[in-house]
Amino acid sequence: MIAIFGLLLGIVLGLVLEPTLPAMLQPYLPIMLVAAMDAIFGAARAYLEGTFVDKVFVVSFLSNVLIAALIVFIGDRIGVGAQLSTGVVVVLGIRIFNNAAAIRRALLRA
């Protein structure tokens, strides 16, 4: 219940305050969002399987976001940022779809 309240509060604050992201961080936001989605889908899967641990979720969430942003940052510095961004999205996308399939199987018993 607290998580839902926090989510709703965050959405309302985002709509009211309309925060802006510095231009230098804008290339990393999509990658960080995909990494965060991977952690969230993994947490949902773990919850349905009965193996969810909140500390593991927090560490997974933060490390996924930071590592994905770091990979893209390093790619930008060596001139292959777009290729590494695509690679990160593909890998995390596969993980998201695998977790979504497991969630579907757990919910629908199919």
Side-chain angles (χ1 to χ4, degrees):
M1 185 64 176
I2 293 173
I4 293 171
F5 176 73
L7 176 64
L8 293 175
L9 179 64
I11 290 171
V12 169
L13 285 174
L15 292 172
V16 170
L17 298 176
E18 296 181 19
T20 58
L21 189 67
M24 86 178 220
L25 295 179
Q26 287 177 357
Y28 307 108
L29 181 63
I31 301 302
M32 293 184 330
L33 287 174
V34 171
M37 286 176 53
D38 173 49
I40 291 168
F41 275 88
R45 177 182 185 175
Y47 178 79
L48 291 171
E49 292 174 350
T51 60
F52 178 78
V53 178
D54 56 349
K55 291 178 184 177
V56 172
F57 168 68
V58 171
V59 169
S60 172
F61 186 90
L62 294 175
S63 63
N64 276 6
V65 169
L66 291 175
I67 291 169
L70 180 64
I71 289 171
V72 175
F73 175 77
I74 291 171
D76 283 342
R77 294 295 163 237
I78 62 175
V80 292
Q83 291 86 350
L84 282 179
S85 293
T86 302
V88 169
V89 169
V90 168
V91 169
L92 292 176
I94 291 169
R95 288 173 42 108
I96 289 169
F97 280 105
N98 283 337
N99 285 329
I103 291 167
R104 184 191 70 242
R105 284 190 300 272
L107 290 176
L108 301 177
R109 311 278 188 251

